[in-house]
Amino acid sequence: MGMKGKVALGAVVGVVVIGVVSANAGSNGDGGTSGGTDKGSSASAEREAGAKKGTKDTDKTEVAEKKAAFAGDGDFQVGSDIKPGTYRTTGNSDGMCYWERAKDASGEMDSLLANDNVTGTSYVTVKATDKLFKSSDCNDWEAVDEKAKGSPAARMSGDGGMFAVGADIAPGTYKSTGNTDDSCYWERTKDAEHGVESILANDNVNGTAVVRLNASDAYFKTTGCKDWKKTG
């Protein structure tokens, strides 16, 4: 896909947004204690384990989700090919997954509403006002319920992509250590629209990162970081 690799301004790894941090953002949150750290499993591993244990009801739900999914490669017109809503792609391991929301099908830069290159998991909310959703080299997308609650983990992969707060990972203070070369990037967001206004706080990190995830946060994005552990 010729447009692969473009990254929307303000959502790119390496950009630190100034002045959009909420009063309770807590990007330099307290270190806390280690309560619960050893008990936590990685969010990605826990999701896979849950799938293996699935009951008949769970299997039926997974089948329903697969029917609602669309392919990870292609251009999709919103309203006819896909419905507005929040979608998720998981298991993208080579960093080649690319998606974009567009206001028209011109293919020009000013048609872009949001986009990203993905390693691991990405959640994207496609709005009714969007005209086109493009996806290249991604695993299939499935529809998700933003209000759904899971069994949130207390650990997560530092290169796992996006995690839903309250479903994939529990709110609390998390620490990632041993990061080098400013390659670790994290982001707290209020939704999955991926605009600059979606970002509550973000940073590029050398060494140790400590981040407080609030229950009101929607998602946490992490890429190029060492694994995160809940410390409080």
Side-chain angles (χ1 to χ4, degrees), residues 20-22 25 188-190 196-202 216-218:
V20 300
V21 181
S22 64
R188 294 172 48 231
T189 69
K190 63 181 182 180
V196 175
E197 64 278 3
S198 299
I199 300 173
L200 296 169
N202 67 348
S216 57
D217 294 353

Side-chain angles (χ1 to χ4, degrees), residues 43-66:
S44 298
E46 189 164 303
R47 188 183 299 118
E48 291 174 2
K52 291 179 180 178
K53 294 179 181 178
T55 62
K56 291 182 179 179
D57 290 339
T58 302
D59 292 340
K60 289 179 181 178
T61 300
E62 290 175 353
V63 169
E65 288 179 342
K66 288 179 180 178

Side-chain angles (χ1 to χ4, degrees), residues 159-178:
D159 208 27
M162 287 179 73
F163 298 90
V165 178
D168 298 330
I169 54 171
T173 299
Y174 288 81
K175 180 182 288 187
S176 170
T177 60

Side-chain angles (χ1 to χ4, degrees), residues 86-106:
T86 299
Y87 296 89
R88 174 179 64 193
T89 178
T90 62
N92 300 286
S93 59
D94 56 8
M96 296 301 291
C97 169
Y98 171 80
W99 64 261
E100 68 179 52
R101 294 171 48 223
K103 62 183 180 181
D104 57 47
S106 69

